[in-house]
Amino acid sequence: MTTVTVAANQSKLAPTVTRQLLLDSGYVLLGLPLALAGFVVLLAGTALGIGLMVTVIGLPVLAGTLYAARGLADIERLRLPSVLHQPRVRPHYRAAEPGASAWRRIFVPIADAQSWLDLAHGIFKLIVAVATFVVTVVWWAGAVGGTLYWAYDWALPRSPDETDLAELLGLGSSTLSRVGLYTAVGVFFLITLPIVVRGCALLQAGFSRAMLTGVAEMRDRIIVLEEQKRAAASAEATALRRLERDIHDGPQQRLVRLAMDLSRARQQLASDPEEAGRTLDEAVAQTRDTLAELRALSRGIAPPILVDRG
């Protein structure tokens, strides 16, 4: 039974690893052309907008560049869930007021901090994309080329003066040693391929997440904390009102009755001592009941300072 379970788990794990490897590879390989296109468009637009800032044309060009950066950022946000396995988070961009003028709408993205983060991401992502792309291509080439070296070794041209890697390592110059060495290297690349590609994808996706969704996630977290704080304050107020009502309906009424019984017993001491004694007995019983009810209510009161200090 255990053997069957392990085999079933391994059969499920293999497609998962393969699927994630393909998703990560596609994310990294597609990231380079997107980063290159974004770098060219955004850098040219930023330079042109800043260069024409002395004229009226500079601001619309810069605003259009920021809108282009926002579009490229949205494309990147659509690609992040396949790598990070987290829901897509899109920040709230500043919008123009209804009925705003054309110039007012132009200044909206210029005054938006997230638009500038999108622009910085589009320009600097090329550095990360190039590094991860090179590593991913090298590992794929090593894995495929090494493991299949036995199939095309015969077709590779060789000169008599050429010294092969296997011969340099002291393994000999035979075909078997050469094929064995390169196949072993290919197996190493193949085994480490999912780990290396996954690391490259996480590196690129982590950079994009920090630039494109970090502020939005922080803002959402602050909103959640504020809602929790309001809920806690509301719950505390409700508990205090309930405690006040319980004290008013319970011990307070008993204490009022106790005061009335004691006043009546004082008046009865001279005229009817026996009746005064019975009234005092009732007052004592009321005192015990009041103390028991106060103890029950005090168990639900836990000041935060007592909880913090034990």
Side-chain angles (χ1 to χ4, degrees):
M1 183 67 178
T2 305
T3 305
V4 174
T5 304
V6 172
N9 292 335
Q10 290 178 349
S11 64
K12 293 179 181 179
L13 181 62
T16 303
V17 173
T18 304
R19 181 174 180 273
Q20 189 61 55
L21 174 61
L22 295 177
L23 288 175
D24 293 340
S25 301
Y27 175 81
V28 174
L29 297 179
L30 184 59
L32 180 60
L34 289 176
L36 184 60
F39 177 81
V40 173
V41 172
L42 299 182
L43 187 62
T46 304
L48 184 61
I50 295 176
L52 296 176
M53 193 67 70
V54 293
T55 65
V56 183
I57 305 176
L59 291 178
V61 171
L62 188 59
T65 304
L66 291 174
Y67 277 119
R70 185 182 300 184
L72 292 172
D74 285 334
I75 296 176
E76 184 65 22
R77 293 187 191 101
L78 289 175
R79 299 187 332 121
L80 287 178
S82 63
V83 177
L84 299 179
H85 304 293
Q86 295 177 355
R88 175 174 174 260
V89 178
R90 189 177 191 274
H92 300 284
Y93 290 97
R94 179 177 296 185
E97 299 83 0
S101 62
W103 279 105
R104 185 74 174 177
R105 295 180 183 276
I106 290 175
F107 280 105
V108 167
I110 297 177
D112 186 30
Q114 184 59 50
S115 297
W116 289 100
L117 287 176
D118 296 345
L119 179 64
H121 168 266
I123 293 176
F124 293 106
K125 183 191 172 183
L126 183 62
I127 301 173
V128 182
V130 169
T132 54
F133 180 88
V134 170
V135 174
T136 300
V137 169
V138 168
W139 241 259
W140 267 107
V144 176
T147 53
L148 298 178
Y149 183 80
W150 57 271
Y152 60 86
D153 175 75
W154 59 272
L156 296 177
R158 291 183 178 84
S159 64
D161 300 332
E162 181 181 353
T163 302
D164 199 80
L165 179 61
E167 189 174 355
L168 290 175
L169 295 177
L171 300 177
S173 58
S174 63
T175 303
L176 181 60
S177 61
R178 185 173 59 252
V179 171
L181 174 62
Y182 291 139
T183 303
V185 173
V187 171
F188 168 77
F189 276 95
L190 183 63
I191 293 174
T192 57
L193 181 64
I195 301 174
V196 173
V197 175
R198 181 66 177 161
C200 292
L202 289 177
L203 177 62
Q204 191 176 141
F207 173 77
S208 298
R209 178 188 177 188
M211 297 291 290
L212 302 180
T213 65
V215 177
E217 290 177 353
M218 186 180 300
R219 186 184 295 112
D220 293 342
R221 192 177 299 113
I222 291 174
I223 293 174
V224 171
L225 291 176
E226 289 178 349
E227 292 177 352
Q228 292 177 351
K229 182 179 179 180
R230 285 194 294 268
S234 177
E236 183 179 0
T238 302
L240 289 176
R241 286 193 297 269
R242 186 185 304 112
L243 180 62
E244 181 182 1
R245 185 178 63 251
D246 293 340
I247 292 176
H248 180 272
D249 296 341
Q252 183 175 348
Q253 298 296 329
R254 293 183 182 277
L255 290 174
V256 171
R257 182 178 175 183
L258 176 62
M260 294 174 62
D261 289 342
L262 292 175
S263 178
R264 186 175 61 186
R266 183 178 180 181
Q267 296 175 0
Q268 292 173 346
L269 282 175
S271 60
D272 191 353
E274 294 182 358
E275 184 65 23
R278 287 191 294 270
T279 303
L280 289 174
D281 292 337
E282 293 179 1
V284 171
Q286 288 290 334
T287 304
R288 293 196 186 97
D289 294 340
T290 303
L291 289 174
E293 193 163 356
L294 286 173
R295 291 193 188 97
L297 289 173
S298 65
R299 294 191 190 99
I301 303 175
I305 188 171
L306 297 182
V307 177
D308 294 339
R309 301 183 181 180

